[in-house]
Every structure is written in C-alpha cells, then in structure tokens.
C-alpha cells in the first residue's frame, strides 16, 4: 500500500530520501570521460563489458559482441535509482558490480573510428549521477581471448550505494518503484531474460526475481 505522500509504507525501513544526490555537470562528465580514457591508446578498438541494461539496450554500435566474464566483481542490485527506475521519494534499484566473485556478461568491441560521440552518450547515460566508477578490468571472452574492458563498478562512498538488501526491501522496490525509464521490476526481468537468451543465466538474480516479484494476489 502507498500512503498519501507516496512513500512505500509496506516496508517501514524503505528509504524515503537518499540525502543530497546531484547530477554531474557537463564539465564533470567530460572530465570523468577524459580521465577514464587515458588508459585507451585510441588506436586500438575499445572493449566495453556489459552486465545489466547495456546487454539488452547498448545504444551504441558494436563491431563484435560475445559473452565474457570479469573476475573480482559480481553483479547485484546495489544501486539506488532516483531517476531512471525510481524517484527520490520512492527509489528503485539497478544493478552494479561490487567487490568479490566474478560476473558473466557481454563484451562489445567498439571501433576506434567514430567512437567518441558514442562514448559521450554512454557517459551521459551511465555516469549522470556519478554513482559508478569507470574502470578497466581484465575480461575473458568466450573464445579464450583476454582483453581489457571498460565497465562501471559501484562507487561505495556515494549515498546511492544500497549494499546487500533484505528481500522485503527489494520486494517493495519491485512493487512500487518507477522512474522515467520504467519500473525496477521490468528492469530486472528484462536483464534476467537477456542473460538467459545470451546463454549466461544468472541463477542468483533469477532466484531473487522469483522470490520478490509481486503476485497478482498481493495488496
């Protein structure tokens, strides 16, 4: 049930406010992009590792794509979303990489020529709130090749860091959270479907979706 202020009253400890969360300015976005690209020689094609919505909505051309795995990080619903999949009053959840384990996803090879406009658009999408840290990780492709791939990991010292949440909080987000890109539930369901279709199912994420999605009989 929702109260008159639109808060998720079904979970008393569901966060109604995340503190001061401000979008990065255009100058900050440009600085972040240029700093991150210092490790790219700009003569070789660039690899991008996708583990969430970039799998099913990359919005950039890829000269090649294949399943891949990175080590030292795992996927989880660790990022509060107060814009794309929620609001500041009813924050949603999206996926992020956090320390430990490994993660299977898709690797996209982006051709050097013409890459910058697409990377700028990618930064506007992924780095708008500054919640991620762009990093280059060792990435093993499904054919055995090893590449350095750019990806986005959780910035733990940001107020949007959710950490590992109990099921009742995730369930509340699934039931109530919606932002300008849609609901948290749809985001997770589409990611689960895309991972399965790519032959790299995430059993833990599938189990979380099964446990926490709201049934039609819910209030």
């Amino acid at each position: 049930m929702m109260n008159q202020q639109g808060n998720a009253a079904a979970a008393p400890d569901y966060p109604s406010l995340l503190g001061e969360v401000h979008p990065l300015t255009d100058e900050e976005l440009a600085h972040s992009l240029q700093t991150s690209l210092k490790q790219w020689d700009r003569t070789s094609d660039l690899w991008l590792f996708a583990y969430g919505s970039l799998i099913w909505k990359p919005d950039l051309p890829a000269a090649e794509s294949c399943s891949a795995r990175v080590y030292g990080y795992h996927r989880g619903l660790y990022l509060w979303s107060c814009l794309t999949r929620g609001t500041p009053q009813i924050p949603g959840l999206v996926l992020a990489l956090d320390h430990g384990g490994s993660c299977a996803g898709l690797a996209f090879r982006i051709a050097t020529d013409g890459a910058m406009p697409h990377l700028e658009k990618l930064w506007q999408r992924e780095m708008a709130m500054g919640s991620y840290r762009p990093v280059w990780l060792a990435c093993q492709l499904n054919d055995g090749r090893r590449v350095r791939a750019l990806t986005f990991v959780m910035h733990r010292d940001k107020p949007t860091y959710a950490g590992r949440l109990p099921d009742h909080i995730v369930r509340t987000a699934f039931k109530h959270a919606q932002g300008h890109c849609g609901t948290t539930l749809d985001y997770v369901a589409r990611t689960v479907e895309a991972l399965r279709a790519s032959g790299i199912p995430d059993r833990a994420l599938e189990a979380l979706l099964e446990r926490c999605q709201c049934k039609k009989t819910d209030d």
Side-chain angles (χ1 to χ4, degrees):
M1 298 292 291
M2 306 294 288
N3 64 20
Q4 293 179 349
Q5 287 73 41
N7 294 324
D13 49 349
Y14 190 80
S16 58
L17 294 173
L18 299 178
E20 294 293 326
V21 180
H22 299 291
L24 297 186
T25 64
D26 290 342
E27 292 76 14
E28 289 170 330
L29 282 172
H31 177 73
S32 170
L33 176 58
Q34 293 303 322
T35 299
S36 299
L37 293 184
K38 287 181 179 179
Q39 298 186 47
W40 178 39
D41 62 15
R42 305 202 185 208
T43 60
S44 305
D45 290 349
L46 179 149
W47 285 92
L48 174 70
F49 179 74
Y51 57 87
S53 63
L54 283 174
I55 292 176
W56 44 269
K57 190 181 179 183
D59 283 342
L60 75 174
E64 179 184 0
S65 65
C66 58
S67 58
R69 182 174 292 274
V70 296
Y71 295 88
Y73 290 89
H74 67 282
R75 173 175 39 232
L77 287 175
Y78 298 138
L79 175 56
W80 289 116
S81 172
C82 57
L83 184 63
T84 59
R85 298 290 170 172
T87 65
Q89 294 74 32
I90 310 173
L93 289 164
V94 294
L95 294 163
L97 294 181
D98 206 356
H99 294 291
S102 67
C103 179
L106 292 187
F108 298 107
R109 180 168 60 85
I110 312 302
T112 301
D113 293 341
M116 282 306 298
H118 299 294
L119 292 173
E120 290 168 357
K121 184 178 178 181
L122 175 68
W123 241 249
Q124 293 169 358
R125 168 179 167 174
E126 298 297 321
M127 291 296 295
M129 304 305 295
S131 297
Y132 290 118
R133 288 190 301 111
V135 298
W136 295 84
L137 298 179
C139 180
Q140 182 169 332
L141 307 184
N142 62 356
D143 60 6
R145 285 177 293 168
R146 294 179 181 271
V147 300
R148 295 280 291 177
L150 177 64
T151 192
F152 301 93
V153 307
M154 190 64 225
H155 213 318
R156 283 188 168 190
D157 62 356
K158 297 293 184 179
T160 47
Y161 178 54
R164 193 177 297 274
L165 295 167
D167 281 359
H168 75 280
I169 295 293
V170 176
R171 189 174 295 112
T172 302
F174 281 0
K175 188 172 183 180
H176 297 300
Q178 180 169 355
H180 70 71
C181 289
T183 66
T184 291
L185 179 59
D186 177 68
Y187 167 87
V188 175
R190 292 187 70 175
T191 303
V192 163
E193 180 181 358
L195 288 167
R196 194 181 299 154
S198 300
I200 46 174
D202 185 328
R203 302 303 185 192
L205 192 61
E206 290 186 10
L208 181 70
L209 178 62
E210 176 63 25
R211 293 196 311 271
C212 296
Q213 63 183 333
C214 301
K215 307 301 183 183
K216 291 182 180 181
T217 55
D218 289 349
D219 292 337

